[in-house]
Amino acid sequence: TASGSSSIEFTSGIDSTYDIYKWEVINWHPSNDGPYQSINFSTDSGSTYAVTKTSTSFWTAHDEADTSTQLDYQAGTDLAQSTANQHIMTGIGNDNDQSGSGTIYLFAPSSSTYVKHYICDFQFYYYGDFTIRQFTAGYCNTTSPVNAIKFVMGSGNIDVGTFKMYGISA
């Protein structure tokens, strides 16, 4: 559970026990209006978060006034062999009724042969009064085991939120 933190890290428990790891993020609410919410991965138990990633992202949106809908490719959140943080939500509002929730799947993080694929699916209340569902998928371009993940605010802190990790056997 996060409260007043700029990031949340899972630095243990990601190992060869499970083939798939899933994180549920429940009601991530920022202290600032409209920052990016991101993730990054580590191969050294969280000492550094700079795994090279390639990804793509799109979103669907509908405004609260029922005057605008969108289906947009999110070029600004794509990564191409980058170590930057992966944006998973682009601009949650910080009004009392605004937050974001979703899931992240990381496949075969302990493999020493293959890259590590990930899928992110988030629903959030955008600071411009839109409901948005953002889809992001990509891969960590490393054959080293991925053993940590970090959830990061683009600015400000995580006002409140619950972050849960599960292991899934294939």
Side-chain angles (χ1 to χ4, degrees), residues 59-116:
W59 74 10
T60 60
H62 193 145
D63 77 324
E64 194 174 81
D66 196 23
T67 58
S68 177
T69 60
Q70 301 171 15
L71 172 61
D72 289 328
Y73 164 61
Q74 294 294 299
T77 63
D78 280 3
L79 299 176
Q81 294 301 292
S82 173
T83 59
N85 290 339
Q86 175 67 67
H87 296 310
I88 56 174
M89 290 186 280
T90 310
I92 297 174
N94 72 337
D95 292 353
N96 288 336
D97 63 347
Q98 296 174 326
S99 67
S101 298
T103 58
I104 298 168
Y105 291 92
L106 178 63
F107 299 90
S110 295
S111 172
S112 59
T113 304
Y114 300 110
V115 299
K116 288 46 170 182

Side-chain angles (χ1 to χ4, degrees), residues 6-8 28 36-42 48-55 57 75-90 118 120 134 136 149-155:
S6 62
S7 64
I8 297 293
W28 186 341
Y36 287 96
Q37 291 74 30
S38 305
I39 58 171
N40 212 328
F41 302 97
S42 175
T48 59
Y49 288 92
V51 173
T52 301
K53 295 168 292 301
T54 294
S55 65
S57 184
T77 63
D78 280 3
L79 299 176
Q81 294 301 292
S82 173
T83 59
N85 290 339
Q86 175 67 67
H87 296 310
I88 56 174
M89 290 186 280
T90 310
Y118 60 91
C120 308
Q134 187 164 343
T136 306
I149 185 172
K150 184 176 187 178
F151 294 83
V152 183
M153 292 296 302
S155 64

